[in-house]
PDB file of all heavy atoms in Angstrom:
ATOM      1  N   PRO A 387      75.008  77.996 116.546  1.00  0.00           N
ATOM      2  CA  PRO A 387      74.192  79.260 116.538  1.00  0.00           C
ATOM      3  C   PRO A 387      75.102  80.397 117.030  1.00  0.00           C
ATOM      4  O   PRO A 387      75.902  80.186 118.033  1.00  0.00           O
ATOM      5  CB  PRO A 387      73.196  78.874 117.649  1.00  0.00           C
ATOM      6  CG  PRO A 387      73.076  77.422 117.824  1.00  0.00           C
ATOM      7  CD  PRO A 387      74.447  76.914 117.391  1.00  0.00           C
ATOM      8  N   ASN A 389      74.648  83.095 118.581  1.00  0.00           N
ATOM      9  CA  ASN A 389      74.509  83.655 119.991  1.00  0.00           C
ATOM     10  C   ASN A 389      75.071  82.727 121.017  1.00  0.00           C
ATOM     11  O   ASN A 389      75.660  83.154 121.969  1.00  0.00           O
ATOM     12  CB  ASN A 389      72.985  83.876 120.307  1.00  0.00           C
ATOM     13  CG  ASN A 389      72.122  82.704 120.236  1.00  0.00           C
ATOM     14  OD1 ASN A 389      72.613  81.713 119.672  1.00  0.00           O
ATOM     15  ND2 ASN A 389      70.882  82.756 120.762  1.00  0.00           N
ATOM     16  N   LEU A 390      75.095  81.352 120.661  1.00  0.00           N
ATOM     17  CA  LEU A 390      75.554  80.453 121.599  1.00  0.00           C
ATOM     18  C   LEU A 390      77.079  80.439 121.554  1.00  0.00           C
ATOM     19  O   LEU A 390      77.844  80.504 122.570  1.00  0.00           O
ATOM     20  CB  LEU A 390      75.232  78.991 121.240  1.00  0.00           C
ATOM     21  CG  LEU A 390      75.517  77.876 122.157  1.00  0.00           C
ATOM     22  CD1 LEU A 390      74.860  77.989 123.520  1.00  0.00           C
ATOM     23  CD2 LEU A 390      75.228  76.484 121.586  1.00  0.00           C
ATOM     24  N   LYS A 393      78.378  83.538 123.286  1.00  0.00           N
ATOM     25  CA  LYS A 393      78.330  83.348 124.637  1.00  0.00           C
ATOM     26  C   LYS A 393      79.447  82.587 125.249  1.00  0.00           C
ATOM     27  O   LYS A 393      80.135  82.992 126.227  1.00  0.00           O
ATOM     28  CB  LYS A 393      77.011  82.758 125.129  1.00  0.00           C
ATOM     29  CG  LYS A 393      76.749  82.702 126.591  1.00  0.00           C
ATOM     30  CD  LYS A 393      75.362  82.279 126.888  1.00  0.00           C
ATOM     31  CE  LYS A 393      75.180  81.787 128.264  1.00  0.00           C
ATOM     32  NZ  LYS A 393      73.874  81.177 128.608  1.00  0.00           N
ATOM     33  N   ILE A 511      78.664  74.467 127.193  1.00  0.00           N
ATOM     34  CA  ILE A 511      77.491  74.754 126.563  1.00  0.00           C
ATOM     35  C   ILE A 511      77.532  74.427 125.070  1.00  0.00           C
ATOM     36  O   ILE A 511      76.517  73.988 124.429  1.00  0.00           O
ATOM     37  CB  ILE A 511      77.171  76.218 126.723  1.00  0.00           C
ATOM     38  CG1 ILE A 511      78.159  77.195 126.313  1.00  0.00           C
ATOM     39  CG2 ILE A 511      76.522  76.476 128.231  1.00  0.00           C
ATOM     40  CD1 ILE A 511      77.742  78.624 126.373  1.00  0.00           C
TER      41      ILE A 511
HETATM   42  C1  NAG B 628      70.020  81.729 120.896  1.00  0.00           C
HETATM   43  O1  NAG B 628      68.860  81.947 120.008  1.00  0.00           O
HETATM   44  C2  NAG B 628      67.921  81.020 120.007  1.00  0.00           C
HETATM   45  C3  NAG B 628      66.856  81.409 119.036  1.00  0.00           C
HETATM   46  O2  NAG B 628      66.358  82.680 119.049  1.00  0.00           O
HETATM   47  C4  NAG B 628      67.321  80.756 121.488  1.00  0.00           C
HETATM   48  O3  NAG B 628      66.314  79.697 121.410  1.00  0.00           O
HETATM   49  C5  NAG B 628      68.420  80.447 122.297  1.00  0.00           C
HETATM   50  O4  NAG B 628      67.938  80.158 123.714  1.00  0.00           O
HETATM   51  C6  NAG B 628      69.493  81.407 122.310  1.00  0.00           C
HETATM   52  N1  NAG B 628      70.646  80.864 123.114  1.00  0.00           N
HETATM   53  C7  NAG B 628      71.433  81.631 123.885  1.00  0.00           C
HETATM   54  C8  NAG B 628      72.580  80.903 124.573  1.00  0.00           C
HETATM   55  O5  NAG B 628      71.246  82.768 124.059  1.00  0.00           O
END
Side-chain angles (χ1 to χ4, degrees):
N389 60 348
L390 187 69
K393 185 173 168 188
I511 54 174

